[in-house]
Amino acid sequence: MTDRSKAPSFNVPKRLVFPKPEEYELRNGLKLTAVNSGTSDIVRLSLVFNAGSRYQNQTFVASATLNMLSEGTRKYDAAKIAELLDFYGSALEVNIDRDFACISSYSLNKYLKETLEVLEQLVKYPTFPEEELKVYTQKHKERLIFERERIDKQAVELMVAALYGAMHPYGSFGKPEDYDSLTAKQLSEFHHSYYSPTNAFAVVSGKLSSNTISLVEDFLGSDSWGSPVIPADTKDFTIHHSIEKQLLKEMSDSVQSAIRIGKIMFSRTHPDYNGMTILNTIFGGYFGSRLMKNIREEKGYAYGIYSMLVGMKESGYFTIATETGIDYTTDCINEIRKELDILQNIPIKEEELALVKNYIIGDLLRSLDGPIALADVLIDLKQSKLEYTQVNDFFNEVVAITPNRLQELANTYLNTDTFTEVVVGNK
Amino acid sequence: MIDYKRYTLNNGLTLVVHRDTSSPIAAVNMLYKVGSKNESPEKTGFAHLFEHLMFSGSVNAPDFDKAIQMASGENNAFTGSDYTNYYITLPKENIETALWLESDRLLSPNITEHNIEVQKSVVVEEFNQRYLNQPYGDIWLLLRPLAYKVHPYSWSTIGKKVEHIQNATAEDVQAFFNTHYTPSNAILSIVADMDEDEMYQLVEKWFADIPNRKAEQNAIPQEPKQLEAREQAVYRNVPSDAIYKAYKMCNRVDADYYTCDMISDILSNGRSARMYRRLVQEKQLFSNISAYLTGELDEGLFVIAGRLLPAISIDIAEQAIEEEFRQLIDKPVTDYELEKVKNKVEAAQIFADTSVLNKAMTLAYYEMLGDLSLANREIELYRKISKDDIGRVGANIFNPKRCSTLYYLSNSKT
């Protein structure tokens, strides 16, 4: 009989294996990072432009520019682009945040050339046709109207606007009617200004062959396009923090309250970013976190509760997020405050810290597993101009961090009085 | 291509293993052949509530999550109508931790009054968050009972109503465990960079001494053939109208299943798909529309789900959907279009196989279907589908008398 009373022994990885990326500068100045990984015959190519919403002069211009790249180019109309990509089984993905706009293609190696030929059209020669823009604005307006019905979305907007000020490039949110005034000319100008090889970087990952780099160079790295000069950034990043520390938006027919509690923190490159990432994990960053244990597993107040550290280029914030039954709203907020106090007043026990360290290391290992995941890690680092070796620095910091250091961080950053509390629902 | 080996333990547990040399991560997947279809109509939501309770620890491992996290692992689970699936990923060196935990909770989970009370509350909040307090969240709570009158697919895995979960007792929960959580009702699959027989030895070590309990499952009441069009209209506080048309189709192991899936691809998979091109981009009737299969084991549903743009009448929208069916049935698809959707299926498969967890889930799933070789043969089956198959199966599915239509209408428009 197997002795079940004893847990089997286990090992925690002592180091991470990060396949060394190769760095290239292509003829037109586009910087390309390539990482060979995996056994499947696939390639992911991502282009990341400094073209997030902070650069736009009117709401939704940045996201519409990115989303409309595939709606028509000099050579192909929208239908043809869709046909070509679908026929090769290739997929496009676009992502945008406050700082960056990213377009990625996922393709089988055997169709990389055909996929790049389409991607080239999208990135260099989009035409932003009026008819497609009309459909786009209609659809997205509807989607936004729907999103704004959700209490969690409302709570996020209220909180972020309260933290930065509603006019701040990181604190503003568009309204559905803002879609009505979008013009093709605005998108075209935004594209010309911000989508250029020298205002971007690229990451290619997958099973790379000898000609992968030259293919990328042929289609995206040879001639120049877009404006050679990036417009001066004149946006005002002065923070206008709401004086009100507790905001309530009543929703009489809601059976739940969305709670968002947050404060301004720092950007991705801050020296305490790694330490706070570890502290955040303990607090509410994984399924076994203190918040999850307390609010879900002990009290049953909510289906889930999370905290996260959001790092942007010029700033960042920390937030706690949950949806709870309206009757639990006040108790839930009190428990969150209590957990923040505990982090400041009581050093974390070695046993819990060991667990969190092992968990984070496993998570790191998973985040480096396979070409698609690896590219995500590289993009995140490149956006902050960090080297890939930073992953190992983080690993070492995880191994070395002490209860004292974590308590120190909690006292520096997680003082309950410094948070803004938002409730959408009922108290 | 997934090279697998299959084993059966003496207690009836099925094991499927596959060696993947590309990843340092192992995936351990445990599938129990029990879902919401095994529930009694008066006590729905049980399979899912039980899934939550399976994380409450077990006789030798009081804290499941902690033990996984300590071994650098991560875990989760989901419940469907037909089966409940638990999965763990962790460094391959620590595979025994996963086997210890999975075997121990199959042997004897901690079903205490306190755990039941807390998880009932968590599940009620999940019900609120995902189904009741969410725009369009209750669509499936309405559509299932419209489409099924006898079969337990008539309720969602979350349950018919919150009260069913609130009324669950410790006896109910224990009885559910005894009936359904037995080695012979489970399929374990492992994908890791490890010798296959070594994986088998480890599974023997942790699972062989768990006695099999006889699973006494009631026969699932089968749905009689639907002979009349069904309709329901509801008004809700949502910004725009939505329409759901659910057609009865074949079961999961029917030869026509893959053709149904391919029809859904022709209609809505990708930006070049017919419904997206014509109904969203050209006619501008919908802000989004999709066609998909519920994919359940017994007779499932072929669903068209669309959200309308403002100022579009629901009749016009519905006629446009039906026009797409006519096109598909009356005019043969072109070779090009057929080739395109087949290429797409094949590429999607290759991308899915880059994940050890995906592969482990795939193996357990096909073992449950009763034909493990399908894990590698599906592409071939899709490749064989002809233009005639599309027309024939399309004509079969899109019969108004086998359709249940839900008109989900916006209050603000009236």
Side-chain angles (χ1 to χ4, degrees), chain A residues 2 4 83 86 300 358-359, chain B residues 70 74 121 205-206 272 336:
Chain A
T2 304
R4 302 182 165 277
E83 283 296 343
D86 280 345
N358 291 2
Y359 170 78
Chain B
M70 204 62 195
E74 196 162 63
S121 176
K205 175 179 169 188
W206 288 104
S272 74
Y336 163 81

Side-chain angles (χ1 to χ4, degrees), chain B residues 105 121 256 277 283 323 350 394 400:
Chain B
R105 66 178 172 179
S121 176
D256 283 337
R277 271 314 359 132
K283 296 186 186 164
E323 174 57 26
I350 293 171

